[in-house]
């Protein structure tokens, strides 16, 4: 905790899938309680943190419910990252993909929450038109995994640099990140 306070510009993100049953089913037994405890510790220390959840066919009713968002606000959650389930990996579960109606409900409720809840909500997929496309590759975002690998995106588990060997500035100038940014839509200026 002291190191987070010392650094000052770190915002932990906690993965949730809903309440205890939904979260523990996907993230492992006890995950939800550990997250709730960690949120209490961070809130009491005055540190900012955010939540992150994957929208699936099974949790739409929970994460579109204002009382769920209120619970996270009460815990001290500053922001939410919203990701729609994408069936990738070794054992993708097509049944977890939200139906079009569920995706539309999530989009509409996110707009409602932005106007009524004291929380920043970032919808990784549906906000694309607002920010002119993908933010990855260092355009506005990159991901550092638990091993220190500097990845273009949390969904792209490929890295050529590591924060223990390379500075962030060097990684952002790497051929990998430059090529990704070159293929992205140009950023609109105000």
């Amino acid at each position: 905790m002291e190191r987070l306070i010392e650094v000052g510009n770190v915002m932990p993100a906690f993965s949730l899938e809903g309440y205890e049953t939904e979260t523990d089913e996907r993230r492992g037994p006890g995950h939800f309680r550990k997250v709730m405890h960690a949120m209490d510790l961070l809130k009491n220390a005055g540190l900012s943190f955010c939540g992150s959840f994957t929208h699936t066919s099974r949790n739409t009713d929970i994460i579109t419910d204002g009382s769920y968002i209120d619970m996270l606000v009460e815990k001290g959650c500053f922001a939410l990252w919203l990701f729609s389930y994408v069936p990738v990996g070794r054992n993708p579960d097509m049944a977890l993909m939200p139906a079009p109606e569920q995706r539309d409900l999530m989009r509409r409720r996110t707009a409602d929450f932005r106007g009524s809840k004291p929380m920043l909500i970032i919808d990784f997929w549906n906000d694309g038109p607002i920010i002119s496309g993908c933010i990855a590759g260092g355009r506005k975002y990159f991901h550092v995994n638990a091993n220190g690998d500097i990845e273009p995106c949390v969904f792209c588990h490929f890295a050529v640099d590591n924060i223990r060997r390379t500075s962030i500035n060097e990684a952002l100038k790497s051929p990998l990140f430059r090529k990704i940014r070159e293929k992205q839509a140009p950023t609109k200026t105000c």
Side-chain angles (χ1 to χ4, degrees):
M1 187 78 63
E2 290 76 26
R3 291 188 71 195
L4 288 174
I5 293 170
E6 181 183 326
V7 172
N9 65 348
V10 174
M11 184 181 294
F14 296 102
S15 296
L16 297 164
E17 304 301 326
Y19 292 107
E20 187 169 11
T21 300
E22 300 78 26
T23 298
D24 287 1
E25 180 182 293
R26 187 140 190 269
R27 302 286 175 178
H31 184 88
F32 183 81
R33 287 181 191 237
K34 288 176 187 175
V35 166
M36 294 297 108
H37 178 67
M39 285 182 173
D40 291 340
L41 292 173
L42 292 175
K43 180 181 179 182
N44 291 337
L47 293 171
S48 295
F49 60 90
C50 57
S52 173
F53 54 80
T54 302
H55 176 212
T56 71
S57 60
R58 296 182 186 153
N59 67 0
T60 301
D61 292 342
I62 295 166
I63 63 178
T64 59
D65 185 337
S67 62
Y68 178 73
I69 304 301
D70 291 341
M71 180 272 295
L72 293 174
V73 168
E74 179 66 29
K75 290 301 248 179
C77 195
F78 170 78
L80 279 179
W81 284 93
L82 165 62
F83 301 96
S84 294
Y85 178 78
V86 177
V88 297
R90 291 187 181 137
N91 297 309
D93 186 347
M94 299 300 283
L96 287 176
M97 286 184 64
E101 301 80 23
Q102 291 173 311
R103 289 177 51 209
D104 185 54
L105 175 61
M106 188 75 247
R107 180 191 60 79
R108 287 184 285 114
R109 293 299 288 151
T110 298
D112 293 344
F113 295 152
R114 285 177 172 158
S116 63
K117 306 293 182 191
M119 176 186 283
L120 174 65
I121 302 176
I122 304 105
D123 184 335
F124 205 79
W125 304 117
N126 291 320
D127 287 348
I130 298 169
I131 56 150
S132 301
C134 183
I135 62 174
R139 180 171 164 246
K140 294 184 185 274
Y141 164 85
F142 61 90
H143 179 253
V144 178
N145 71 22
N147 296 321
D149 297 326
I150 304 168
E151 301 171 334
C153 175
V154 70
F155 299 108
C156 179
H157 302 296
F158 180 81
V160 295
D161 292 307
N162 186 287
I163 59 171
R164 292 176 183 88
R165 298 183 304 274
T166 308
S167 74
I168 296 295
N169 283 336
E170 290 171 321
L172 291 172
K173 294 175 184 173
S174 73
L176 172 65
F177 276 47
R178 281 196 329 260
K179 191 64 159 179
I180 290 169
R181 289 191 304 270
E182 181 183 298
K183 297 292 183 182
Q184 293 170 333
T187 304
K188 295 178 183 174
T189 57
C190 297

